[in-house]
Amino acid sequence: GAVVSQHPSWVICKSGTSVKIECRSLDFQATTMFWYRQFPKKSLMLMATSNEGSKATYEQGVEKDKFLINHASLTLSTLTVTSAHPEDSSFYICSAVGTSGHRTQYFGPGTRLTVL
Amino acid sequence: EDQVTQSPEALRLQEGESSSLNCSYTVSGLRGLFWYRQDPGKGPEFLFTLYSAGEEKEKERLKATLTKKESFLHITAPKPEDSATYLCAVQAGAGGTSYGKLTFGQGTILTVHP
């Protein structure tokens, strides 16, 4: 149980294009999903908290207009990197918390984004 | 501000050589302390949640313990497949929300040699 998937697992795009990453909770409903960014040999950096049916809450320093988050259902959240630039290249990971009140975050496998 | 410090940064063990990883934390009202394992190029895999001082949890060769200031992840007779980065995270703050942000430590890179 508590499986979270991400798609795609890796993506290469040209500078200036937009990329959408999907995060799905496969066997549970998630009222809240989180989006993280991880640099090589570094820990996870929280970018935003996504609640189903409401606007995402972004961490300080994260550009809302560049990283668009949509949590349209209890099993799906999407992160769109708009007008991507090489400095946006990173490993993006989502996590999900279920509706049962149990506070554990379950993580997806991550998406490797490379912007040329 | 909530802080989590993990030590050591890296640990090399021989197969079968037991050891412990440390996670020290300062938070305003601990709601939970979490241990994750992360393999290169993958997302963190959930291991344990500890909620109160004195609590212990075990899974195979791993045992996690919690005090009011720190948590230990004990690894008994490790195998090469236990090699990974182990992340500690805390969830803090009061309130009625059913979720909470995690503050992560920098991780301990464990390498177990055969």
Side-chain angles (χ1 to χ4, degrees):
Chain A
V3 179
V4 178
S5 70
Q6 279 185 243
H7 178 79
S9 56
W10 60 272
V11 57
I12 302 172
C13 70
K14 293 182 179 180
S15 186
T17 61
S18 295
V19 175
K20 180 184 285 188
I21 302 170
E22 292 187 348
C23 177
R24 293 180 185 272
S25 55
L26 299 184
D27 53 0
F28 67 102
Q29 293 185 323
T31 51
T32 304
M33 290 183 173
F34 299 86
W35 287 95
Y36 294 84
R37 185 172 178 177
Q38 188 174 33
F39 293 101
K41 298 187 178 181
K42 298 291 185 181
S43 194
L44 283 73
M45 181 187 79
L46 180 65
M47 298 174 64
T49 303
S50 166
N51 289 303
E52 186 266 336
S54 62
K55 291 185 178 180
T57 302
Y58 291 81
E59 294 299 300
Q60 191 172 9
V62 178
E63 297 178 61
K64 300 179 182 181
D65 295 332
K66 168 167 271 302
F67 299 101
L68 300 179
I69 293 172
N70 185 354
H71 194 155
S73 75
L74 286 173
T75 59
L76 174 63
S77 176
T78 60
L79 168 68
T80 301
V81 183
T82 62
S83 187
H85 290 283
E87 56 265 31
D88 299 324
S89 298
S90 192
F91 192 53
Y92 293 88
I93 312 173
C94 72
S95 71
V97 177
T99 58
S100 65
H102 187 45
R103 300 191 285 265
T104 299
Q105 289 187 29
Y106 295 96
F107 286 83
T111 297
R112 172 73 59 190
L113 170 63
T114 302
V115 185
L116 302 176
Chain B
E1 184 179 337
D2 302 331
Q3 287 190 327
V4 179
T5 303
Q6 290 187 246
S7 61
E9 291 185 9
L11 180 63
R12 291 175 171 269
L13 298 174
Q14 288 296 125
E15 184 171 4
E17 179 187 3
S18 301
S19 188
S20 296
L21 282 55
N22 178 263
C23 172
S24 298
Y25 64 90
T26 53
V27 296
S28 53
L30 179 70
R31 298 184 73 201
L33 185 141
F34 301 80
W35 282 98
Y36 291 89
R37 168 193 170 129
Q38 186 176 25
D39 292 303
K42 297 187 178 180
E45 173 190 348
F46 170 70
L47 294 175
F48 304 108
T49 307
L50 302 168
Y51 294 106
S52 58
E55 190 174 0
E56 299 183 352
K57 288 192 177 175
E58 288 188 67
K59 179 182 178 181
E60 296 180 356
R61 295 179 292 281
L62 301 176
K63 179 181 177 180
T65 62
L66 180 65
T67 72
K68 290 186 178 180
K69 294 183 178 181
E70 58 191 350
S71 176
F72 290 95
L73 183 65
H74 307 277
I75 303 176
T76 302
K79 298 181 178 182
E81 52 262 42
D82 294 323
S83 297
T85 296
Y86 289 86
L87 297 168
C88 170
V90 296
Q91 189 178 85
T97 57
S98 62
Y99 69 89
K101 294 194 297 185
L102 293 178
T103 300
F104 278 89
Q106 288 301 104
T108 294
I109 302 171
L110 175 66
T111 305
V112 182
H113 296 282

